[in-house]
Amino acid sequence: HQVLRVVPQSDEELQKVQELQDLEHLQLDFWLEPRKLGQPVDIRVPFRSLQAVKVHLEASGVSYSIMIEDVQALLNEEKVEMIRSSRHRSVDTATFNYEAYHTIDEIYNFMDMLVAENPNLVSKLEIGRSTENRPLYVLKFSTGGSNRPAIWIDTGIHSREWVTQASGVWFAKKIVEDHANNEGVASILETMDIFLEIVTNPDGFAYTHTTNRMWRKTRSKHAGAICVGVDPNRNWDAGFGDAGASSNSCSETYHGPYPNSEPEVKSIVDFVKSHGNIKAFVSIHSYSQLLLYPYGYTETPAPDEQELHEVSAKAVAALSSLYGTKFTYGSIITTIYRASGSTVDWTYNQGIKYSFTFELRDTGRYGFLLPAKQIVPTAQETWLALKVIMEHARDNMY
Amino acid sequence: DIDGVGHKYYLDLELEDVLDNDRTVNCTAEVLYHLGSKTSAPDVQLTVQGELRSTEEADKEFYHRIRSLEKELVAENIPDSHGNVPPELEPIHLLAWAASGYVIWQNSTENTNFNLAQVKHVKQVKRNDEDLQFDFVVLLHEMVSQEVLPWQVTLLWHPQRGARVPQ
């Protein structure tokens, strides 16, 4: 396989490249999709399609360069690395390697092992299916009762933010351990349930493993859209389509054709509405080291802003106490940027007062490519902040 | 606010040495963003108050190592998907940061926030003069739009002359 780069300089050239997208038999994989003139388009071309693609481009005078001569060599290297790091496939959650990044299959396998080892505490719910028909799994941690007030945590809604899925796996194990040792969140589990969705965007996550490590969105293809994928954190019904999201399908912040167009989002919306008793909702992202609360779509302060601000201060102090990691906190719009259609703006407007978004480590040195050895410290410190939020929700029932 | 010219910012900065966390250096800077201009880089004046750590030994060693390579250095994906950087490529990673700094400066406005996401590709180009030349393809992540975009940038480096982006 080779990776070819084309930089369309005219509308005709752009069209020629877009035509390639429709020729399914060529099995082309666009690392950088055609967007507009002057922007590079990177195409991974299987060996047998190389001639056809080059002929198609050359016939129209579209120039291209060979960016990567041999993709197989690259992939071999990465695969070796993954195998090396998870060579000993664990048979239980005690030997699972929390200090490494895992594939979707490994994480789904971990979930099954956790449930099998702790059937009285943990169950796995399928809340829907992704665009590519992958199951959307949520782990439920409960010591009983019926529809107890609950806490929701999701990780991996943006697939390239790998430290979040990895932290989610660690959180799952931590909850089980605390319960077994009757410490930490054991007391919270006496009166509340915890729901944890670790791989909230499985199609995107699979894509970051096979094709493009920097993929953020879902993998949906909507009618009339020239590019793939919707930003799941702009697809919620809160200020949907307002400033702070893009209507261009090629954009990383494309909000989608309508709210909840993404099954990954709709399934959570349906779950939250039918559960009806969620008291705290935390959506986890990386990177920037921020703790955020609503709103992102408007400058109007949330009615509970003062309380949310105080809880954030406490949570951030707890996080920092472990390794000194500094977090900034505040409302989305004042702390990071205007963002419309975001998750916690919707959950807050549904009446879930304690709605928070985290942006985990780091602040840009490694960004999305956070070294695996930082997974556990990140998860540990974040857990302290989550406990502050969970305990506050428990102690301030509404 | 400077009428008819643009916006000027006065900054007090503390630089932290990434390779030696206890080392910090204070700086002051003036940054002028030109009015309405998306095609010109902001003007930057920087004053470093104090001294930067000497890296003479490590610089010399790196320089000689690269100069004595039989084949030109070529590498991809620094860091890799798992955040790993092989130790011998760490200096290349750092040079890529410098090169990215130039690109970021050239493309910054008051509404952008760039970070180097990954060095996608680097190729050393042997030269007749004493400089080392590295042709980079870097991925820059822009926070506000969330786009990760590739940029080609060439960097020249020499132990005494330092890093430069040729025009």
Side-chain angles (χ1 to χ4, degrees), chain A residues 35 160 252 287 337 365 369, chain B residues 18 83 141 143 146-147:
Chain A
R35 301 161 202 246
R160 63 190 179 196
E252 295 284 26
Y287 58 93
Y337 41 55
R365 176 153 179 217
L369 306 181
Chain B
V18 152
H141 173 225
M143 271 297 174
Q146 287 295 331
E147 301 294 332

Side-chain angles (χ1 to χ4, degrees), chain A residues 199-243:
Chain A
V199 188
T200 305
N201 177 5
D203 295 348
F205 190 53
Y207 200 70
T208 60
H209 278 276
T210 57
T211 311
N212 182 352
R213 176 62 178 81
M214 297 293 171
W215 190 261
R216 164 186 168 92
K217 302 187 288 183
T218 62
R219 292 293 300 163
S220 61
K221 185 92 165 56
H222 293 282
I226 71 162
C227 289
V228 173
V230 167
D231 184 345
N233 199 25
R234 300 288 186 281
N235 187 241
W236 301 73
D237 200 357
F240 179 87
D242 290 351

Side-chain angles (χ1 to χ4, degrees), chain A residues 251-310:
Chain A
S251 163
E252 295 284 26
T253 56
Y254 175 47
H255 48 59
Y258 52 86
N260 307 328
S261 63
E262 304 312 283
E264 295 81 357
V265 170
K266 176 113 187 11
S267 56
I268 302 175
V269 168
D270 291 345
F271 179 85
V272 167
K273 282 181 160 169
S274 74
H275 186 280
N277 207 16
I278 295 178
K279 298 302 178 188
F281 191 105
V282 183
S283 192
I284 303 188
H285 293 253
S286 75
Y287 58 93
S288 284
Q289 293 176 200
L290 305 171
L291 175 50
L292 307 166
Y293 51 80
Y295 287 112
Y297 72 92
T298 172
E299 280 169 352
T300 307
D304 302 290
E305 169 152 293
Q306 201 183 333
E307 185 184 357
L308 295 178
H309 200 76
E310 283 164 11

Side-chain angles (χ1 to χ4, degrees), chain A residues 335-346:
Chain A
T335 311
I336 189 169
Y337 41 55
R338 185 180 285 262
S340 62
S342 74
T343 309
V344 297
D345 282 359
W346 179 81

Side-chain angles (χ1 to χ4, degrees), chain A residues 24-247:
Chain A
E24 279 195 34
H25 62 281
L26 293 179
Q27 302 243 293
L28 300 181
D29 173 29
F30 283 74
W31 282 17
L32 288 174
E33 315 262 355
R35 301 161 202 246
K36 53 185 190 187
L37 303 186
Q39 291 256 337
V41 179
D42 286 350
I43 315 166
R44 178 175 63 81
V45 184
F47 181 72
R48 58 183 153 62
S49 301
L50 267 176
Q51 211 201 358
V53 171
K54 289 180 179 178
V55 161
H56 181 95
L57 294 173
E58 281 163 19
S60 321
V62 180
S63 60
Y64 60 89
S65 57
I66 300 173
M67 252 197 69
I68 298 178
E69 295 262 2
D70 186 355
V71 175
Q72 190 57 51
L74 262 181
L75 289 177
N76 285 343
E77 244 186 68
E78 271 210 12
K79 207 169 178 196
V80 166
E81 188 50 60
M82 287 224 79
I83 291 171
R84 202 182 290 142
S85 65
S86 59
R87 180 187 349 237
H88 307 287
R89 171 143 311 183
S90 56
V91 293
D92 56 37
T93 64
T95 55
F96 186 86
N97 186 0
Y98 297 92
E99 295 177 2
Y101 291 111
H102 291 275
T103 62
I104 191 174
D105 289 336
E106 288 165 355
I107 295 178
Y108 278 16
N109 179 247
F110 163 83
M111 290 187 215
D112 289 338
M113 293 193 298
L114 195 71
V115 169
E117 293 164 17
N118 305 278
N120 295 328
L121 179 66
V122 195
S123 54
K124 186 177 83 171
L125 313 171
E126 184 175 319
I127 62 168
R129 294 240 150 188
S130 68
T131 292
E132 292 175 348
N133 206 33
R134 290 184 175 82
L136 301 167
Y137 290 134
V138 172
L139 292 178
K140 175 182 180 183
F141 300 86
S142 178
T143 58
S146 168
N147 198 235
R148 281 181 176 169
I151 294 146
W152 167 283
I153 302 169
D154 64 72
T155 53
I157 194 170
H158 284 146
S159 36
R160 63 190 179 196
E161 299 165 6
W162 276 21
V163 72
T164 70
Q165 298 95 335
S167 294
V169 168
W170 189 93
F171 297 154
K173 180 63 175 169
K174 181 66 173 156
I175 295 170
V176 160
E177 277 175 351
D178 275 8
H179 177 258
N181 299 327
N182 200 22
E183 60 186 13
V185 297
S187 59
I188 291 172
L189 287 168
E190 280 167 19
T191 54
M192 299 181 81
D193 293 341
I194 301 175
F195 293 98
L196 175 62
E197 184 171 11
I198 299 175
V199 188
T200 305
N201 177 5
D203 295 348
F205 190 53
Y207 200 70
T208 60
H209 278 276
T210 57
T211 311
N212 182 352
R213 176 62 178 81
M214 297 293 171
W215 190 261
R216 164 186 168 92
K217 302 187 288 183
T218 62
R219 292 293 300 163
S220 61
K221 185 92 165 56
H222 293 282
I226 71 162
C227 289
V228 173
V230 167
D231 184 345
N233 199 25
R234 300 288 186 281
N235 187 241
W236 301 73
D237 200 357
F240 179 87
D242 290 351
S246 172
S247 54

